[in-house]
């Protein structure tokens, strides 16, 4: 086999696992594991919330109205956004167990057909996960009118895609800012344990060294040290909650009164504009809340709800109350540290707490970095990001990936932010804007899901977006006002990534439209005759195309320039569909192109946006077996008329080799035949040239396959072609703006898209093909 050996068992994955009722032991185990993966970022927020809030806009006075008001804001923000919005509402909007911005966008693409790539097929709607939502599309009322409006207007579809991409870009920006603020805030405790005159010279270098170490470890994968994540976060949560309880009882047992919303009113009445601007610091208490939804695919709804409701939420409330209790009795802080986390830690515990805080910050940073890798992979799957090298770091967990280009880019940007700002004030302003923007995007998409996917009343959607949107808009305005004080960083990063994504998506769309407009007609193919007008040589010719129907222009380009072609031709397409996973038994769509005697087939391999592409599939065997299974299961005497030769409804759904329980098996002579296959009928080839060493191929067929003579002959030819070898014809296109295009379009296509195409990776499957068997056919696309 020419592909790498299996890396992970993704074909062993089955959605049936997700729908089995989980035992309480499994749920509690997942809840324990989620503490290390999901809540690392959220758990470290007490390190910098109070310090960022009191950095400049408001002062802590002896009346304690400011500190009580901030505590009240923190309590109700944690209660409304993570607990009420995410735990009780948003987590229910999963896409077959997957969460995040793309999960919501995927749901909308299926229910309203707003996907901008025109490669959808009716057969895709029969996929297990396409229909498994348990949500029926509405046929009347406002939901139906809204759906038809979205499907008619391309502008609205582009706006919806842009909204999803903005949320994605802000997540990437958060991947730069969260490690910086978490590590820097943890290291800032050195101010209290090191000499006054030296802490300012060691904080930034120590933070940079930790960040370098963190990003360097990424290529090893989190599975090697992942078992430490949950214990570290649990230890940290126990620490901050225990210190909080101590401070409450030791300094101010009546601090619980500040949880009343009345103190928010008193706070804003006294501080006015300064209090409103300080909301950008309070906002940081919910940093990492989006991870509960984004990381849903690795756990379950119930496990995430239990972990947050019974462990994370009470621990954070106690920690913030403890800090407020301490500060309410210490109005003048003698050191330069002023208001911060470590000042409320008993002096004897500061060194151990500092060490645990640094470890917790590293764990929280690790989660957002891994999440950034995952969302970049999803963007690539949906044609919204240039192809990058994706390395799977775990043989068991499909979601653990490493992307070298993104990792080093994040590292350089993270170091630049840390060295450039050198304080938590500016970094927190930047991080706050990124966090709240992602939440606003989720709120907007969620309101559409309520109407289009859940078929609930539009009034319910309006109430949802008005209630949560108004709270988030208040924080957004407070963060945006700090634009010149650090908040410009996520805006600039998101703008750059958004331009890259839009250019790549636009170029990909135009390239596909060119393929559709220039595909060869079936009449042209029929005019060539069974030999396609050339000499047919032994072997299988695999032609890669992005078309899901029709004969690609690259085929005619090849035929008119070369005098020979293979006896079996396969038009092969890899397509992503708007579901998280495609089951192995639904992997391939196989059909004919032209009459039977032409021996031309179309094979479409379908993958979900969370699937791993061909990492453990013996690709050659799966491809040939899927075609053979199609031939075997085809109705006898079916020759195909002109009207249905390219009808996608005539394509058969074929699984991978491992899913052919009672169907055709393929066996090479260098492999062992299992005993259960002894009772099968073998189609064998009589080798006429024994002096040439070749791989013997056999198709193992059930004893009563009910195959006609034509099917057996066709299988025999396929077997001979497979033994002769496989050649790969890959299109190498140069996309240029056609004559008469506007200056803007020429800049986007000729400069932007061409630069990204030349610097992006080749498709994963292309790099796996042996170079000796690969032929690239160049074409210029004038779009």
């Amino acid at each position: 086999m020419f592909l790498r050996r299996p890396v992970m068992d993704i074909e062993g994955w089955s959605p049936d696992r997700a729908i089995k009722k989980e035992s309480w032991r499994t749920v509690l185990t997942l809840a324990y594991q989620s503490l290390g993966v999901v809540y690392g970022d959220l758990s470290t927020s007490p390190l910098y919330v109070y310090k960022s809030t009191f950095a400049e806009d408001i002062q802590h006075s002896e009346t304690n109205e400011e500190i009580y008001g901030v505590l009240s804001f923190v309590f109700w923000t944690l209660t409304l956004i993570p607990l009420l919005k995410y735990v009780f509402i948003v987590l229910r909007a999963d896409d077959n167990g997957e969460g995040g911005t793309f999960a919501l966008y995927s749901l909308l693409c299926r229910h309203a057909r707003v996907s901008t790539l025109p490669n959808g097929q009716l057969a895709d709607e029969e996929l297990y996960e396409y229909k498994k939502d348990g949500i029926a599309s509405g046929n009347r009322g406002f939901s139906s009118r809204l759906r038809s409006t979205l499907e008619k207007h391309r502008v609205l579809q582009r706006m919806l895609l842009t909204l999803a991409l903005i949320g994605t870009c802000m997540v990437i920006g958060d991947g730069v800012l969260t490690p910086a603020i978490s590590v820097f805030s943890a290291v800032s405790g050195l101010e209290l344990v090191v000499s006054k005159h030296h802490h300012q010279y060691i904080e930034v270098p120590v933070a940079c060294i930790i960040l370098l170490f963190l990003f360097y470890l990424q290529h090893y994968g989190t599975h090697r040290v992942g078992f430490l994540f949950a214990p570290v976060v649990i230890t940290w949560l126990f620490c901050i909650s225990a210190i909080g309880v101590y401070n409450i009882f030791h300094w101010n047992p009546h601090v619980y009164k500040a949880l009343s919303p009345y103190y928010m009113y008193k706070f804003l009445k006294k501080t006015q504009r300064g209090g409103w601007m300080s909301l950008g610091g309070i906002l940081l208490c919910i940093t990492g809340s989006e991870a509960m939804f984004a990381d849903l695919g690795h756990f379950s709804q119930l496990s995430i709800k239990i972990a947050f409701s019974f462990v994370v939420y009470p621990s954070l409330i106690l920690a913030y109350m403890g800090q407020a209790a301490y500060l309410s009795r210490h109005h003048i802080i003698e050191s330069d540290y002023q208001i911060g986390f470590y000042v409320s830690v008993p002096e004897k515990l500061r060194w151990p707490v500092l060490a645990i805080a640094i470890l917790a910050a590293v764990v929280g940073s690790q989660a957002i970095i891994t999440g950034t890798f995952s969302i970049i992979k999803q963007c690539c799957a949906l044609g919204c990001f240039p192809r990058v090298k994706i390395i799977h770091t775990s043989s068991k967990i499909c979601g653990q990936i490493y992307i070298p280009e993104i990792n080093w880019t994040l590292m350089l940007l993270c170091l630049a932010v840390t060295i450039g700002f050198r304080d938590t004030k500016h970094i927190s302003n930047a991080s706050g804007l990124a966090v709240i923007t992602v939440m606003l995007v989720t709120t907007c998409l969620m309101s559409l899901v309520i109407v289009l996917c859940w078929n609930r009343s539009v009034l319910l959607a309006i109430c949802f977006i008005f209630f949560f949107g108004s709270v988030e808009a208040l924080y957004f305005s407070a963060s945006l006002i700090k634009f010149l004080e650090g908040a410009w960083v996520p805006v600039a990063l998101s703008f750059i990534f958004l331009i890259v994504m839009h250019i790549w998506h636009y170029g990909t769309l135009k390239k596909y439209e060119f393929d559709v407009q220039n595909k060869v007609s079936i009449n042209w193919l029929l005019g060539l005759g069974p030999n396609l007008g050339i000499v047919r040589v032994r072997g299988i010719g695999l032609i890669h195309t992005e078309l899901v129907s029709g004969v690609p222009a690259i085929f005619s380009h090849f035929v008119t320039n070369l005098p020979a072609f293979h006896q079996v031709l396969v038009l092969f397409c890899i397509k992503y569909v708007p579901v998280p996973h495609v089951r192995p038994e639904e992997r391939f769509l196989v059909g004919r192109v032209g009459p039977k005697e032409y021996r031309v087939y179309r094979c479409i391999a379908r993958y979900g946006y969370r699937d791993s592409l061909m990492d453990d599939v013996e690709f050659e065997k799966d491809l040939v077996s899927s075609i053979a299974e199609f031939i075997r299961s085809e109705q006898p005497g079916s020759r195909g008329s002109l009207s249905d030769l390219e009808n996608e409804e005539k394509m058969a759904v074929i699984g991978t080799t491992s899913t052919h329980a009672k169907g055709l098996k393929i066996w090479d002579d260098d492999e062992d035949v299992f005993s259960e296959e002894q009772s099968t009928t073998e189609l064998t080839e009589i080798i006429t040239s024994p002096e040439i060493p070749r791989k013997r191929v056999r198709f193992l067929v059930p004893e009563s396959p009910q195959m006609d003579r034509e099917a057996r002959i066709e299988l025999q030819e396929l077997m001979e072609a497979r033994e002769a070898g496989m050649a790969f014809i890959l299109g190498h296109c140069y996309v240029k703006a056609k004559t008469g295009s506007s200056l803007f379009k020429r800049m986007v296509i000729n400069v932007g898209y061409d630069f990204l195409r030349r610097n992006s990776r080749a498709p994963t499957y292309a790099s796996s093909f042996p170079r000796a068997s690969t032929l690239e056919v160049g074409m210029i696309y004038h779009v």
Side-chain angles (χ1 to χ4, degrees):
M1 300 303 164
F2 53 83
L3 283 183
R4 295 186 294 270
R5 294 301 300 168
V7 178
M8 66 176 56
D9 186 22
I10 60 168
E11 293 297 347
W13 178 91
S14 172
D16 295 332
R17 299 181 188 175
I19 62 176
K20 288 180 181 177
K21 190 173 182 179
E22 296 172 328
S23 65
W24 276 107
R25 182 178 180 181
T26 303
V27 170
L28 293 177
T29 302
L30 289 173
Y32 166 77
Q33 294 172 346
S34 70
L35 290 171
V37 177
V38 178
Y39 298 109
D41 189 11
L42 185 60
S43 300
T44 55
S45 57
L47 286 169
Y48 44 79
V49 169
Y50 281 128
K51 186 175 182 180
S52 301
T53 304
F54 288 94
E56 185 177 273
D57 302 307
I58 56 176
Q59 299 298 322
H60 178 38
S61 66
E62 294 186 4
T63 62
N64 287 327
E65 289 182 345
E66 293 85 0
I67 193 67
Y68 287 167
V70 170
L71 175 59
S72 185
F73 263 105
V74 167
F75 172 75
W76 287 105
T77 303
L78 277 170
T79 303
L80 292 177
I81 304 300
L83 187 62
L84 182 58
K85 176 187 170 183
Y86 281 96
V87 170
F88 288 105
I89 301 176
V90 175
L91 283 178
R92 296 177 59 237
D94 65 304
D95 181 13
N96 294 285
E98 297 293 337
T101 304
F102 270 103
L104 295 176
Y105 182 69
S106 173
L107 280 174
L108 294 172
C109 284
R110 299 210 301 273
H111 286 82
R113 295 178 182 173
V114 294
S115 178
T116 54
L117 283 179
N119 61 351
Q121 296 174 281
L122 290 175
D124 298 338
E125 299 183 15
E126 300 299 321
L127 288 170
Y128 176 83
E129 290 201 355
Y130 205 104
K131 302 184 296 181
K132 185 186 165 290
D133 305 312
I135 304 168
S137 298
N139 295 319
R140 58 182 181 273
F142 183 81
S143 174
S144 179
R145 291 196 298 272
L146 179 60
R147 182 181 298 106
S148 60
T149 302
L150 286 173
E151 292 175 353
K152 285 179 185 176
H153 298 87
R154 299 279 294 179
V155 175
L156 295 178
Q157 296 174 18
R158 294 191 187 102
M159 288 175 62
L160 190 62
L161 176 64
T162 301
L163 183 65
L165 291 182
I166 287 174
T168 301
C169 292
M170 283 295 179
V171 171
I172 299 172
D174 200 22
V176 173
L177 298 166
T178 293
I181 190 172
S182 298
V183 172
F184 197 88
S185 298
V187 171
S188 66
L190 292 171
E191 294 185 22
L192 295 180
V193 294
V194 179
S195 170
K196 266 186 186 179
H197 303 289
H198 295 92
H199 73 78
Q200 56 184 340
Y201 300 109
I202 64 174
E203 280 181 12
V204 175
V206 169
C208 290
I209 290 171
I210 294 174
L211 289 171
L212 282 170
F213 182 70
L214 172 65
F215 283 100
Y216 172 75
L217 287 179
Q218 294 304 309
H219 73 281
Y220 289 108
T222 57
H223 67 286
R224 299 180 188 275
V225 291
F227 67 95
L228 293 174
F229 286 1
V232 166
V233 174
I234 289 174
T235 304
W236 169 249
L237 289 172
F238 174 77
C239 251
I240 61 176
S241 57
I243 292 171
V245 171
Y246 168 80
N247 285 330
I248 291 170
F249 285 99
H250 188 265
W251 297 110
N252 188 356
H254 301 289
V255 73
Y256 69 90
K257 294 180 180 179
L259 301 183
S260 169
Y262 174 68
Y263 285 89
M264 291 192 291
Y265 167 74
K266 290 182 66 177
F267 172 78
L268 291 176
K269 183 179 179 181
K270 180 179 180 180
T271 56
Q272 297 181 356
R273 187 176 185 273
W276 169 62
M277 294 180 68
S278 69
L279 292 179
I282 297 173
L283 162 67
L284 297 176
C285 71
I286 53 175
T287 300
S289 299
E290 185 74 21
M292 287 192 290
F293 186 45
D295 292 333
L296 185 59
H298 299 294
F299 304 99
S300 65
Q301 286 188 32
L302 186 57
S303 63
I304 288 180
K305 289 177 179 179
I306 289 174
F308 181 79
S309 303
F310 295 101
V311 181
V312 179
Y313 179 73
S315 298
L316 290 176
I317 297 301
L318 288 174
Y320 287 116
M321 288 177 65
Q323 288 186 58
Y326 178 88
L327 294 172
S328 67
R329 295 292 183 263
H330 297 79
H331 304 101
I332 301 175
I333 308 298
E334 295 179 357
S335 68
D336 293 336
Y337 190 77
Q338 298 178 350
I339 294 177
F341 169 77
Y342 290 102
V343 77
S344 65
V345 178
E347 191 171 349
K348 293 181 179 179
L349 298 177
R350 282 175 182 167
W351 272 111
V353 171
L354 174 65
I356 297 171
I358 291 175
L359 288 174
V362 168
V363 170
S365 303
Q366 171 66 52
I368 191 65
I369 293 170
T370 304
T372 305
F373 292 157
S374 296
I375 206 162
I376 290 289
K377 176 180 178 291
Q378 294 176 29
C379 289
C380 293
L382 295 178
C384 296
F385 200 84
R387 290 184 295 268
V388 290
K389 184 178 182 180
I390 298 175
I391 300 172
H392 295 274
T393 59
S394 173
S395 59
K396 297 179 180 179
I397 303 175
C398 182
Q400 291 189 3
I401 60 175
Y402 168 68
I403 305 177
E405 298 95 331
I406 301 299
N407 183 64
W408 303 125
T409 301
L410 290 179
M411 186 194 73
L412 292 176
L413 293 172
C414 194
L415 291 174
V417 167
T418 305
I419 297 171
F421 288 142
R422 294 189 298 278
D423 61 39
T424 56
K425 173 190 167 185
H426 291 84
I427 303 176
S428 64
N429 292 338
S431 181
L433 184 60
V435 168
I436 199 62
T437 304
V438 176
M439 292 184 176
L440 274 170
V441 169
T442 299
T443 300
C444 294
L445 293 177
M446 187 65 204
S447 63
L448 291 175
V449 168
I450 290 173
V451 176
L452 294 175
C453 304
W454 291 358
N455 289 315
R456 299 296 178 87
S457 168
V458 65
L459 183 62
L460 183 63
I462 292 174
C463 291
F464 178 86
I465 196 171
F466 178 77
F467 181 74
F468 293 108
S470 59
V471 174
E472 291 162 357
L474 178 65
Y475 282 116
F476 180 78
S477 63
S479 298
L480 198 60
I481 201 70
K482 301 288 187 70
F483 184 82
L484 297 178
E485 298 177 36
W488 60 270
V489 173
V491 175
L493 291 175
S494 299
F495 183 71
I496 293 171
F497 278 105
L498 193 63
I499 288 177
V500 170
M501 289 179 177
H502 267 297
I503 289 176
W504 184 262
H505 183 75
Y506 179 77
T508 303
L509 184 62
K510 290 299 179 183
K511 179 174 171 289
Y512 187 85
E513 289 175 352
F514 180 90
D515 277 332
V516 172
Q517 294 167 2
N518 292 273
K519 63 183 180 182
V520 180
S521 68
I522 192 68
N523 290 325
W524 177 85
L525 185 68
L526 293 173
L528 295 177
N531 288 329
L532 303 183
I534 51 179
V535 177
R536 303 294 289 269
V537 297
R538 294 190 65 191
I540 298 177
L542 182 67
I543 306 172
H544 175 257
T545 174
E546 294 181 3
L547 289 176
V548 294
S549 63
V551 181
I554 186 178
F555 176 75
S556 62
H557 188 65
F558 189 95
V559 166
T560 53
N561 286 277
L562 289 178
F565 220 107
H566 302 85
Q567 66 187 102
V568 174
L569 296 179
V570 181
L571 303 179
F572 182 67
C573 171
I574 292 179
K575 183 180 74 168
Y576 284 94
V577 288
V579 295
H581 303 279
V582 174
R583 301 172 71 171
E585 54 266 35
E586 299 175 320
R587 177 72 68 208
F588 295 105
L589 276 177
V590 183
R592 293 188 184 277
V593 179
K596 279 187 176 182
E597 58 269 20
Y598 282 35
R599 303 297 190 252
V600 181
Y601 309 93
R602 179 182 308 284
C603 187
I604 301 173
R606 301 178 293 181
Y607 288 84
Y609 57 83
R610 298 279 286 185
D611 279 333
S612 298
L613 184 62
M614 294 186 188
D615 277 344
D616 78 328
V617 182
E618 293 182 350
F619 173 66
E620 181 184 355
K621 180 178 290 187
D622 270 348
L623 179 68
V624 177
S625 292
S626 65
I627 298 172
E629 184 66 18
F630 167 75
I631 295 170
R632 186 191 73 85
S633 59
E634 195 176 23
Q635 293 181 355
S638 173
R639 299 188 60 85
S641 62
L642 180 61
S643 61
D644 64 15
L645 286 174
E646 284 300 320
N647 189 342
E648 63 182 30
E649 295 180 358
K650 297 295 183 181
M651 298 188 76
V653 178
I654 308 292
T656 57
T657 306
S658 59
T659 62
H660 296 163
K662 297 181 179 179
L664 182 145
K665 301 283 185 180
I666 191 171
W667 172 58
D668 298 325
D669 270 356
D670 56 352
E671 300 177 9
D672 294 328
V673 181
F674 297 104
S675 58
E676 59 265 25
E677 293 172 342
Q678 297 284 338
S679 62
T680 58
T681 303
E682 296 179 4
L683 285 176
T684 58
E685 179 196 6
I686 301 173
I687 296 184
T688 56
S689 302
E691 69 279 6
I692 303 176
R694 288 176 179 170
K695 182 182 292 183
R696 288 284 300 275
V697 181
R698 299 180 184 182
F699 284 127
L700 304 177
V701 191
E703 280 192 346
S704 302
Q706 296 181 345
M707 286 192 301
D708 62 357
R709 182 173 176 274
E710 286 187 2
R712 288 185 174 274
I713 293 174
E714 194 170 357
L715 279 175
Q716 181 74 26
E717 290 187 22
L718 180 63
M719 183 178 59
E720 293 173 358
R722 196 240 176 178
E723 183 182 355
M726 185 178 289
F728 309 93
I729 294 90
L730 303 175
H732 192 80
C733 62
Y734 300 87
V735 182
K736 302 292 181 184
K738 59 186 176 183
T739 306
S741 299
S742 64
L743 177 63
F744 177 77
K745 184 177 179 179
R746 293 201 303 270
M747 290 291 293
V748 169
I749 296 296
N750 297 346
V751 180
Y753 182 75
D754 185 64
F755 174 81
L756 294 175
R757 182 191 58 80
R758 286 188 284 108
N759 289 277
S760 65
R761 297 273 182 171
T764 306
Y765 49 86
S767 60
S768 302
F769 296 156
R771 301 296 298 176
S773 303
T774 304
L775 178 65
E776 290 192 5
V777 181
M779 283 189 68
I780 298 179
Y781 284 24
H782 292 283
V783 300

